[in-house]
Amino acid sequence: MKHARPLPNYLVQRYHGWKATSFAENKSWYRRLASEGQHPRAMIISCCDSRVHVTSIFGADQGEFFIHRNIANLVPPYEPDGQKHGTSATIEYAVAALKVAHIIVIGHSSCGGVRGFYDMTTGAAPELTEDTSFIGRWMDTLKPGYDRVKDSCSGDDCVAALERQAVMVSLDNLMTFPFVKEAVDDEVLTLHGLWHDIGEGALLCYDPESGDFQPV
Amino acid sequence: MKHARPLPNYLVQRYHGWKATSFAENKSWYRRLASEGQHPRAMIISCCDSRVHVTSIFGADQGEFFIHRNIANLVPPYEPDGQKHGTSATIEYAVAALKVAHIIVIGHSSCGGVRGFYDMTTGAAPELTEDTSFIGRWMDTLKPGYDRVKDSCSGDDCVAALERQAVMVSLDNLMTFPFVKEAVDDEVLTLHGLWHDIGEGALLCYDPESGDFQPV
Amino acid sequence: MKHARPLPNYLVQRYHGWKATSFAENKSWYRRLASEGQHPRAMIISCCDSRVHVTSIFGADQGEFFIHRNIANLVPPYEPDGQKHGTSATIEYAVAALKVAHIIVIGHSSCGGVRGFYDMTTGAAPELTEDTSFIGRWMDTLKPGYDRVKDSCSGDDCVAALERQAVMVSLDNLMTFPFVKEAVDDEVLTLHGLWHDIGEGALLCYDPESGDFQPV
Amino acid sequence: MKHARPLPNYLVQRYHGWKATSFAENKSWYRRLASEGQHPRAMIISCCDSRVHVTSIFGADQGEFFIHRNIANLVPPYEPDGQKHGTSATIEYAVAALKVAHIIVIGHSSCGGVRGFYDMTTGAAPELTEDTSFIGRWMDTLKPGYDRVKDSCSGDDCVAALERQAVMVSLDNLMTFPFVKEAVDDEVLTLHGLWHDIGEGALLCYDPESGDFQPV
């Protein structure tokens, strides 16, 4: 930890601006949030991508969304083996501790993780196949989705299809968690899958009946 | 995936409002982001907690921050064992693919994950010690921090101290990743540790020389 | 070039101070900027006036703004005649090479170039009418703006009106560049006109519907 | 001008933050600057490049520098032909109206304009040779510099050499302006040439005796 540096000045300035305006104007809410705790209605699982902020898209204020962000908004299958599983921990906390009413998985266009998975699978990025590749091993989660589409797509079409498969694989894997399945069966939790187009601002929702993503 | 439901109406409304206003006003930027890709200056590792949004605190717009959010903003040690390591994948992507200039770990007050760890360690939450507890196993990452403070704190003081230790453990673990250490040694990457008080809006930065967190 | 002199000592001192502090604290960002190139979101066209620094007003850090500064923040009409057109070159680079999302023209109070134009037009500065007057010939760009206001203003009111006309004329002339018009029509580029009052710190934005400048 | 749009929200926020802090703290200076006018000691001619801000490097506050920024910080030769010459107008204003004591030309590493010139000259960018290319025609100004180095460099070495030549050509061309030469001969104006390395933060000054750029 001796490598830690002071906060870059541009962020210090921005923080002080926020403190003097946004925080000051909403101080009572921040103090209630601190003393009464958080009671978010929904958990969002989205990508780390700098271009997709669900707080912006859904105009969410502090206290509304419990947000987990990882590479390609993936949920791996349930694996209670005593190892560290970060995404699984967030889902466990959201469902068992916070008792959220919704888990929303949101994928997006031009997803670097999905592109990396495609390149790895087509042999264009062999380095991602190595044990030492964290991106490669994390994106292995997407394999069931690839198996579903690989024979009916090619090139960029495949990448777009895989962005949607990432959401669908995550929805499937969520249901492998007993505490998720139980809450869904008890009708105290619903699952939702979205796909967002960055350049057009479009938002589509997964519809199991058609097996397609439809504009919301 | 057959359990997926339509997007709750309150979010559909919010999205359409965003599309007609925020998106429409910034459409040229969104379209450039889509066609030219993301070039974020910094990666932020923060907690899923609904009360802490770095995009708000730092007034960050789309394209600025690559954001990974997990339980208690923890970074586990480097472990290239061919298993799925979600947090490690985000760091690998940020440093190797996006070439961010900064990684900022931000902890906060009233962290549920840290509180859970403390309860687990003091015997108040035995269920977190089981193999099947994802939260418990994830929070094991904090143990080195606990060893440093356990003899000099008790009760709520311990929890507050552990929130800061979470940041320090993460900073230490970041440097166990060869590609992080190399970039830091090459002076193309800097690491930063922050702690945020939700109710007071305070922001403190870890200072290795004093070993303390100082107001920014 | 044999007339070049050493850098004045007060600037040598300031530079070394910057190197030891601001540069050192942000070195990773500067190194990334050097190796990865610039990706500014916006182009600013502002006046050379020493009292107006958009990096200050908008808290912009290195890498954010592509800035062209000339006399009276003017953009001349599109003229692809094979001659040297400096301002046109900056716009071409910003739109075609850097693919900025916004071009912002910012005018200001007490603009010496605008005052010079007014004096030239009212006969108070005949020397500006000569072929050898670069200021005079450059400020001819403002003539369409003068024609719009000359019958409804006098004295200092005219100068203030002309400062706003400088912004409006520049916005009009920007659209005479095919590559600007095309990007605007494709919605990958937006144009903005601002006027800044130095003494009061005010910032107004041109609103085409009212034809007026409104506080931001 | 009917295409003008509201100021993007992220800049509106930044402006209000500046108004509440930086402007408020320095209001007396801004008001004096507004009523008494500007009296900058130096004129800076630098590149539009978003990574090079002389106000940052030299810690210059409002009122200190009259700043002209164009592609590759070039000054074309004196040409009093009654046409619009933007850079010439800025120099005329600085010397004749503001009576600055110094004109400082500052070039930099990784200059896109210089790279474009090199590609144009070596046939790698034929589009820049057309009459319609503003960048190409503007960069023709650098040709005398290219003639000096073309036989003793190749590839990236040439580009680095040309960045320095851009400064030297500009210094030469400054002296073709009678009002500049006169002020220099009268010893009321000095000229200076600098080259700045973005990634290393280095600053070199042109020394006519050695014909080289030396660290300041």
Side-chain angles (χ1 to χ4, degrees):
Chain A
M1 74 194 88
K2 61 188 188 297
H3 296 274
R5 302 288 296 279
L7 185 62
N9 197 53
Y10 82 110
L11 292 178
V12 175
Q13 307 267 59
R14 304 263 199 95
Y15 158 71
H16 283 295
W18 169 83
K19 182 96 191 307
T21 54
S22 203
F23 175 79
E25 293 156 20
N26 291 281
K27 189 170 182 178
S28 59
W29 178 230
Y30 284 110
R31 298 199 74 180
R32 290 293 195 194
L33 283 172
S35 60
E36 307 307 311
Q38 57 169 336
H39 299 91
R41 173 172 170 177
M43 171 183 192
I44 314 277
I45 297 174
S46 72
C47 188
C48 301
D49 196 295
S50 65
R51 301 165 291 177
V52 183
H53 298 314
V54 294
T55 44
S56 172
I57 297 170
F58 296 115
D61 212 4
Q62 272 77 354
E64 297 204 52
F65 287 160
F66 183 75
I67 301 173
H68 171 55
R69 295 178 70 161
N70 64 28
I71 298 290
N73 35 275
L74 288 174
V75 175
Y78 178 64
E79 205 175 346
D81 59 0
Q83 299 303 304
K84 294 188 177 74
H85 294 293
T87 293
S88 307
T90 69
I91 296 165
E92 184 174 75
Y93 194 79
V95 176
L98 296 179
K99 299 185 173 21
V100 296
H102 317 286
I103 297 180
I104 301 168
V105 179
I106 172 166
H108 68 94
S109 59
S110 312
C111 184
V114 171
R115 164 63 68 169
F117 171 83
Y118 183 67
D119 289 345
M120 172 176 76
T121 315
T122 56
E127 68 280 9
L128 294 184
T129 60
E130 293 170 25
D131 265 6
T132 49
S133 170
F134 293 115
I135 297 172
R137 304 296 60 74
W138 177 253
M139 292 308 301
D140 284 342
T141 308
L142 189 45
K143 204 169 176 309
Y146 181 65
D147 290 339
R148 278 193 290 262
V149 302
K150 63 188 177 186
D151 296 329
S152 58
C153 71
S154 63
D156 284 352
D157 288 343
C158 264
V159 177
L162 286 167
E163 286 161 2
R164 289 160 170 74
Q165 286 297 326
V167 175
M168 293 155 74
V169 164
S170 297
L171 290 172
D172 276 346
N173 288 342
L174 274 169
M175 288 297 282
T176 65
F177 288 73
F179 46 83
V180 172
K181 184 180 188 313
E182 188 179 343
V184 169
D185 289 346
D186 278 355
E187 298 190 281
V188 290
L189 176 68
T190 51
L191 309 184
H192 312 263
L194 303 176
W195 179 82
H196 171 65
D197 183 308
I198 293 172
E200 297 305 312
L203 192 66
L204 311 183
C205 186
Y206 179 67
D207 167 36
E209 281 189 43
S210 63
D212 247 319
F213 281 76
Q214 310 287 352
V216 309
Chain B
M1 71 194 90
K2 61 187 186 299
H3 296 273
R5 304 287 294 280
L7 187 63
N9 195 56
Y10 82 108
L11 292 178
V12 175
Q13 307 267 57
R14 303 264 199 93
Y15 158 71
H16 283 295
W18 169 84
K19 180 97 190 307
T21 55
S22 201
F23 176 80
E25 290 160 11
N26 290 282
K27 188 170 182 178
S28 60
W29 178 228
Y30 285 111
R31 298 199 72 180
R32 291 295 196 193
L33 282 172
S35 60
E36 307 305 310
Q38 56 169 336
H39 299 92
R41 174 171 170 175
M43 171 184 192
I44 314 278
I45 297 174
S46 71
C47 188
C48 301
D49 196 296
S50 66
R51 299 165 293 176
V52 183
H53 298 314
V54 295
T55 43
S56 171
I57 297 171
F58 295 115
D61 213 3
Q62 274 76 354
E64 297 205 53
F65 288 160
F66 183 75
I67 302 173
H68 172 55
R69 296 179 69 161
N70 64 28
I71 298 291
N73 36 274
L74 286 174
V75 175
Y78 178 63
E79 206 175 345
D81 58 1
Q83 298 305 302
K84 292 189 178 70
H85 294 291
T87 294
S88 306
T90 68
I91 296 165
E92 184 174 76
Y93 194 79
V95 176
L98 296 179
K99 298 183 173 22
V100 296
H102 317 287
I103 297 180
I104 300 168
V105 180
I106 171 166
H108 69 95
S109 59
S110 314
C111 183
V114 172
R115 165 61 68 169
F117 171 84
Y118 182 68
D119 289 345
M120 172 176 76
T121 315
T122 56
E127 69 280 10
L128 294 185
T129 61
E130 294 169 24
D131 265 8
T132 49
S133 170
F134 293 114
I135 296 172
R137 304 295 61 71
W138 177 253
M139 292 309 300
D140 285 342
T141 309
L142 189 44
K143 201 168 180 309
Y146 181 65
D147 290 339
R148 277 192 290 261
V149 303
K150 65 187 175 186
D151 296 328
S152 57
C153 72
S154 61
D156 283 353
D157 288 343
C158 263
V159 177
L162 286 168
E163 285 163 1
R164 288 160 171 74
Q165 287 296 326
V167 175
M168 293 156 72
V169 165
S170 297
L171 290 172
D172 276 345
N173 288 342
L174 274 170
M175 286 298 281
T176 65
F177 287 74
F179 46 83
V180 172
K181 183 180 190 309
E182 187 179 343
V184 168
D185 288 345
D186 277 354
E187 296 189 282
V188 291
L189 176 69
T190 49
L191 309 183
H192 311 263
L194 303 175
W195 178 84
H196 171 65
D197 182 309
I198 293 172
E200 298 306 311
L203 191 67
L204 310 183
C205 186
Y206 178 67
D207 167 36
E209 280 190 45
S210 63
D212 247 319
F213 281 75
Q214 311 286 354
V216 310
Chain C
M1 70 194 91
K2 60 188 189 298
H3 297 274
R5 303 288 295 280
L7 187 62
N9 195 54
Y10 80 109
L11 294 178
V12 175
Q13 307 267 58
R14 303 262 198 94
Y15 158 71
H16 283 294
W18 170 83
K19 180 95 191 309
T21 54
S22 201
F23 175 80
E25 291 159 12
N26 290 281
K27 188 170 183 179
S28 60
W29 179 229
Y30 284 111
R31 297 199 72 178
R32 290 297 196 193
L33 284 172
S35 60
E36 307 306 311
Q38 57 169 337
H39 299 92
R41 173 172 171 175
M43 171 183 193
I44 314 278
I45 297 174
S46 72
C47 189
C48 301
D49 196 295
S50 65
R51 299 165 291 176
V52 183
H53 298 314
V54 294
T55 43
S56 172
I57 297 170
F58 296 115
D61 213 3
Q62 273 77 354
E64 297 204 54
F65 287 161
F66 184 76
I67 301 174
H68 171 55
R69 296 178 69 161
N70 64 28
I71 298 291
N73 36 274
L74 287 174
V75 175
Y78 177 63
E79 206 175 346
D81 59 1
Q83 300 302 304
K84 293 187 178 71
H85 294 292
T87 294
S88 307
T90 68
I91 297 165
E92 185 174 54
Y93 194 79
V95 176
L98 296 178
K99 297 184 175 17
V100 296
H102 318 288
I103 297 180
I104 301 168
V105 179
I106 173 167
H108 69 95
S109 59
S110 314
C111 183
V114 172
R115 165 63 67 170
F117 171 84
Y118 183 68
D119 289 346
M120 171 176 77
T121 316
T122 56
E127 68 280 11
L128 295 184
T129 60
E130 293 169 25
D131 265 8
T132 49
S133 170
F134 293 115
I135 298 172
R137 304 297 59 72
W138 177 253
M139 292 308 301
D140 284 342
T141 308
L142 189 45
K143 202 166 177 312
Y146 181 64
D147 290 339
R148 277 192 291 259
V149 301
K150 64 189 175 185
D151 296 328
S152 56
C153 72
S154 61
D156 284 351
D157 288 342
C158 264
V159 177
L162 286 168
E163 286 162 2
R164 290 160 171 72
Q165 287 295 326
V167 175
M168 293 156 75
V169 164
S170 296
L171 290 173
D172 277 346
N173 288 342
L174 274 170
M175 287 297 281
T176 64
F177 287 73
F179 46 82
V180 171
K181 183 180 189 309
E182 187 179 344
V184 169
D185 289 346
D186 276 356
E187 296 189 282
V188 291
L189 175 70
T190 50
L191 309 183
H192 311 263
L194 303 175
W195 179 83
H196 171 65
D197 182 310
I198 292 172
E200 297 306 312
L203 191 66
L204 311 183
C205 187
Y206 179 66
D207 168 37
E209 280 190 45
S210 63
D212 248 318
F213 282 75
Q214 310 287 351
V216 309
Chain D
M1 71 194 92
K2 61 187 187 298
H3 296 273
R5 303 287 295 279
L7 186 62
N9 196 55
Y10 81 109
L11 293 178
V12 175
Q13 308 267 56
R14 304 262 199 97
Y15 159 72
H16 283 295
W18 170 82
K19 182 97 191 305
T21 53
S22 202
F23 176 80
E25 292 154 21
N26 291 280
K27 189 169 183 179
S28 59
W29 178 229
Y30 284 110
R31 298 199 74 179
R32 290 293 194 193
L33 282 172
S35 59
E36 307 306 311
Q38 56 169 335
H39 299 92
R41 172 170 169 177
M43 171 184 194
I44 315 278
I45 297 174
S46 71
C47 189
C48 302
D49 196 295
S50 65
R51 301 165 291 177
V52 182
H53 298 314
V54 295
T55 42
S56 172
I57 298 171
F58 296 114
D61 211 4
Q62 272 78 353
E64 295 204 53
F65 287 160
F66 183 75
I67 302 173
H68 172 55
R69 296 178 69 160
N70 63 28
I71 298 290
N73 36 274
L74 287 174
V75 175
Y78 178 63
E79 204 175 345
D81 58 0
Q83 299 304 303
K84 292 187 178 73
H85 294 291
T87 294
S88 306
T90 69
I91 297 165
E92 184 174 76
Y93 193 80
V95 176
L98 297 178
K99 298 183 173 20
V100 297
H102 318 286
I103 297 180
I104 300 169
V105 179
I106 171 166
H108 69 94
S109 59
S110 313
C111 183
V114 171
R115 164 62 67 169
F117 171 83
Y118 182 68
D119 289 346
M120 172 175 78
T121 315
T122 56
E127 68 280 10
L128 294 185
T129 61
E130 293 171 24
D131 265 7
T132 48
S133 170
F134 293 115
I135 297 172
R137 303 297 59 72
W138 177 253
M139 291 309 301
D140 284 342
T141 309
L142 188 45
K143 203 169 177 309
Y146 182 64
D147 290 339
R148 279 192 290 261
V149 302
K150 63 188 178 186
D151 296 328
S152 56
C153 72
S154 61
D156 284 352
D157 288 341
C158 263
V159 177
L162 285 168
E163 286 162 1
R164 289 160 171 74
Q165 287 296 325
V167 176
M168 293 156 74
V169 165
S170 297
L171 290 172
D172 276 345
N173 288 342
L174 274 169
M175 288 297 282
T176 65
F177 287 74
F179 46 83
V180 171
K181 184 179 189 312
E182 187 179 342
V184 168
D185 289 345
D186 279 355
E187 297 189 283
V188 290
L189 175 69
T190 51
L191 309 184
H192 311 263
L194 303 175
W195 179 83
H196 171 64
D197 183 308
I198 293 171
E200 297 306 311
L203 191 67
L204 310 182
C205 186
Y206 179 67
D207 168 37
E209 281 190 44
S210 62
D212 247 320
F213 282 75
Q214 310 286 352
V216 309

